[in-house]
Amino acid sequence: MATSNGVLRFLESRKNLTGSALGLIGLGLTFAGAAGAYWPVVVAGLYGAGALIAPPERPPAPDFPAPAEQLGELRGDFATLRGYLAEVELPPAASGRLTELDGLLTALLEPGWVADALATDPEAVHALSRAIRQDIPESVDTYNRTRWWTRLTPGTEPPERHLERQLTVLHDEAAGIAAALQDAEARRQRTHTHYLEERRRGEG
């Protein structure tokens, strides 16, 4: 089966098709009497030349989801994460920080012009995806597991401190994404102002 597939791929390849086309030209020259007694060499040579000049086969590039499509999937994962977090008991300080982070992520992922702007930045989409699918659940789950051990060994560093620090870092990262999007819109506004002023000068 693999051999037959390989033969079929070769028959359909650019090299074979181009070589065959030039080989047919060689046969045409033979029938016209231009190739003489060396017609097999002429046909084989033209076929070989066609196979050499044909562009190499190029496998199709993988069709990964575009950032806009990734945002749609990310919204679903964010809803799943929020359901998980609603069932988790967190200390007040960490809970407050998580609420701030939740509000920021909700605003960034809300369908509309903000999400459209976000979709133009694949690195920002990746950062949010990592936070939602990995960092936040890992931080909360690690806190819960460490808290259980802390009850057995009192006197160790409170795990909620690490959770607060982790959520603070994640909040700052999300805030940085929002600030970058805001800066991009501000640059766009300034560019449009400059364009209008230059156009007025040119018409004046």
Side-chain angles (χ1 to χ4, degrees):
M1 180 65 71
T3 302
S4 61
N5 289 338
V7 172
L8 182 60
R9 283 196 299 270
F10 172 75
L11 293 176
E12 296 175 346
S13 67
R14 292 190 182 95
K15 290 184 177 296
N16 182 58
L17 294 177
T18 305
S20 298
L22 291 185
L24 289 175
I25 294 176
L27 288 176
L29 294 175
T30 299
F31 293 139
Y38 299 99
W39 68 267
V41 177
V42 173
V43 173
L46 287 174
Y47 176 88
L52 287 175
I53 65 174
E57 295 295 323
R58 180 177 62 84
D63 186 20
F64 295 122
E69 297 175 351
Q70 294 179 32
L71 282 183
E73 298 176 359
L74 193 54
R75 291 187 187 101
D77 292 340
F78 183 46
T80 301
L81 174 63
R82 296 180 80 183
Y84 160 70
L85 295 175
E87 300 178 359
V88 175
E89 180 182 351
L90 298 178
S95 180
R97 179 54 85 182
L98 186 60
T99 299
E100 296 175 357
L101 177 57
D102 176 85
L104 190 51
L105 293 175
T106 299
L108 288 171
L109 294 174
E110 184 72 21
W113 68 269
V114 175
D116 292 341
L118 176 63
T120 63
D121 189 343
E123 292 186 5
V125 174
H126 173 71
L128 292 184
S129 173
R130 182 180 57 196
I132 291 171
R133 294 169 174 162
Q134 176 181 334
D135 295 334
I136 297 175
E138 176 68 16
S139 295
V140 173
D141 184 60
T142 302
Y143 161 76
N144 281 325
R145 288 186 282 116
T146 307
R147 182 179 59 170
W148 185 85
W149 285 107
T150 303
R151 292 171 180 172
L152 299 180
T153 55
T156 58
E157 184 179 12
E160 55 266 25
R161 292 183 183 174
H162 283 284
L163 178 60
E164 292 169 24
R165 289 164 59 186
Q166 292 165 6
L167 293 177
T168 296
V169 171
L170 293 172
H171 179 274
D172 291 346
E173 288 182 353
I177 293 173
L181 294 176
Q182 179 185 11
D183 184 61
E185 292 298 329
R187 289 198 305 271
R188 179 182 178 187
Q189 184 184 39
R190 290 193 298 269
T191 298
H192 190 57
T193 300
H194 179 72
Y195 161 73
L196 293 176
E197 291 174 347
E198 289 297 319
R199 187 179 70 181
R200 183 181 60 182
R201 293 190 189 98
E203 294 174 352

